[in-house]
Amino acid sequence: MEIEKNIEILKACRYCPMCRNVCTSGNLSYHESDYPRGRGLVLDSIYNNNLEYDTDIVNAIYNCFLCGCCWSNCEGNYRMHELIKSARIDIVDSGNAPQVAQEIRSKMLSGKNPFGDDNDAYKAEEKKADILYIMGDNIKFNSHDIPRAVRDLLSKMNIDHTLLNDEPSSGKILGLLGFSKDSRELAQKLYDRIKEIDPKVILVSDPLIYDLLKNDFPSYGFKIAPATKIMHISQYLAKLLKDGKLKLKKSKNRITLLDSEFLGRFNKVYDEPRKILKEIAGDSFVEMRWTKEKALSAGEAAFIFNGRLFSDGHILGEKICKEARDIDTDTIITLSPAAKENLSRCKDIKIVDIAEFVLGQLSQGKK
Ligand code: SF4
Ligand code: SF4
């Protein structure tokens, strides 16, 4: 049993109510089994009482947003999201994965759009270049405006770059859904393609891909060359700014930033996006009430599957937009495609990816 590896988390959480007020899923459904303690209790029944995974338990495990809000508020530093990930592996191994997750798997393994719509993949020519931009599945199929903005930015600054022709699925989404073997096999294909390019910088906009490259690849034994830097676009732009290679127009519009779960909470990247936004907006850059490790979840690991799985992303988005209204700003800068998508139903607030925002403020190229 995979959950055995996280048995200490199970023991700690099953009788603990301390983080229930911050649990993203529990505060949407108000079902006891959608809070950390409830999940701990059902997994305790599986582990200690040999209960089988039935539909209710499977739903409780797949309803988790893997956001880590509970961990950020846990005095004992217990990573409930890791316990949930291991439970999903056990569910898959026992043949009880939700039907929709199985459909997603089969589409991903056959290279098709797994998101339940007809969007084509974003296409680009591959060439040798020092900078390799990796989209990830969500951007590849759902958020073409983000790679367009990134490429436009790089081109305007005369920075040579490439994308992968027919970029393979990273496997990250399948990993989060519990298909660990498939996930690793897909990641291997991406790793092999990266090695062919041998870039100096791997650039990403999707924090899920950042997390994959930074944490999953080493755990799989995949070794990115030590000289190769893995950077989120916000880190890369902050570095250009620091080196005097990025000149930005000032703005007096009040803007705020939504921290990313997989970039911030799980990888501690908080400062670089702020440096860019403060350079542009100065004192007009304002913080929402909940920031950094305490930021509200935008459902980054909840994907966009046309409401078939994780259909509550837009409700999370509305909660965040309310925070922005409370500080009198009408613009939220986002750091992930999922956050941008999940906030986009707030019609009175502009939701702008950081690359799009910087592109609009570019005043001159690289020196
Ligand atoms: S994550 Fe921490 S605070 Fe939350 S239920 Fe577990 S032990 Fe309690
Ligand atoms: S990871 Fe998020 S959704 Fe899951 S139990 Fe923790 S706070 Fe709740």
Side-chain angles (χ1 to χ4, degrees), residues 9 12-20 36-37 70-71 73-80:
I9 304 173
C13 296
R14 64 189 163 170
Y15 299 130
C16 173
M18 296 307 287
C19 63
R20 63 180 288 123
R37 177 172 61 178
C70 45
W71 170 49
N73 287 273
C74 177
E75 290 290 324
N77 198 27
Y78 289 105
R79 294 171 169 249
M80 167 55 76

Side-chain angles (χ1 to χ4, degrees), residues 265-283:
R265 181 171 289 124
F266 298 139
N267 286 292
K268 309 294 173 217
V269 177
Y270 294 121
D271 293 340
E272 291 95 328
R274 285 175 169 76
K275 281 184 182 147
I276 298 165
L277 300 184
K278 283 178 186 168
E279 172 71 18
I280 294 169
D283 291 344

Side-chain angles (χ1 to χ4, degrees), residues 129-196:
D130 286 345
I131 294 182
L132 170 63
Y133 178 68
I134 296 183
M135 296 180 283
D137 296 290
N138 200 350
I139 287 180
K140 185 168 90 172
F141 289 110
N142 290 325
S143 305
H144 296 179
D145 42 355
I146 294 178
R148 275 192 211 110
V150 169
R151 300 188 73 198
D152 214 1
L153 252 181
L154 296 178
S155 298
K156 284 189 169 161
M157 291 187 284
N158 299 317
I159 297 174
D160 196 26
H161 61 278
T162 189
L163 282 75
L164 295 175
N165 185 19
D166 283 332
E167 182 185 292
S169 171
S170 71
K172 182 67 178 176
I173 288 176
L174 286 190
L176 293 172
L177 289 174
F179 299 100
S180 56
K181 183 167 163 286
D182 299 319
S183 168
R184 191 185 190 286
E185 283 174 9
L186 289 180
Q188 173 82 56
K189 289 181 186 158
L190 180 62
Y191 173 57
D192 291 344
R193 295 284 301 279
I194 291 172
K195 277 197 299 183
E196 284 169 23

Side-chain angles (χ1 to χ4, degrees), residues 22-26 34-36 39 63-71 80-81 84:
V22 299
C23 174
T24 307
S25 58
D34 288 339
Y35 288 102
R39 293 192 170 108
N63 280 345
C64 173
F65 285 89
L66 300 177
C67 62
C69 288
C70 45
W71 170 49
M80 167 55 76
H81 53 282
I84 298 297

Side-chain angles (χ1 to χ4, degrees), residues 65-134:
F65 285 89
L66 300 177
C67 62
C69 288
C70 45
W71 170 49
S72 289
N73 287 273
C74 177
E75 290 290 324
N77 198 27
Y78 289 105
R79 294 171 169 249
M80 167 55 76
H81 53 282
E82 294 298 340
L83 176 63
I84 298 297
K85 283 195 255 178
S86 24
R88 288 183 183 180
I89 293 172
D90 287 339
I91 289 170
V92 166
D93 288 348
S94 66
N96 288 304
Q99 179 65 26
V100 62
Q102 294 180 41
E103 288 169 15
I104 289 162
R105 170 183 177 265
S106 71
K107 284 194 174 168
M108 286 197 138
L109 292 182
S110 58
K112 292 184 185 150
N113 182 345
F115 296 98
D117 50 37
D118 298 328
N119 293 350
D120 289 330
Y122 183 89
K123 295 216 181 321
E125 290 297 312
E126 181 176 325
K127 61 179 184 176
K128 262 295 189 202
D130 286 345
I131 294 182
L132 170 63
Y133 178 68
I134 296 183

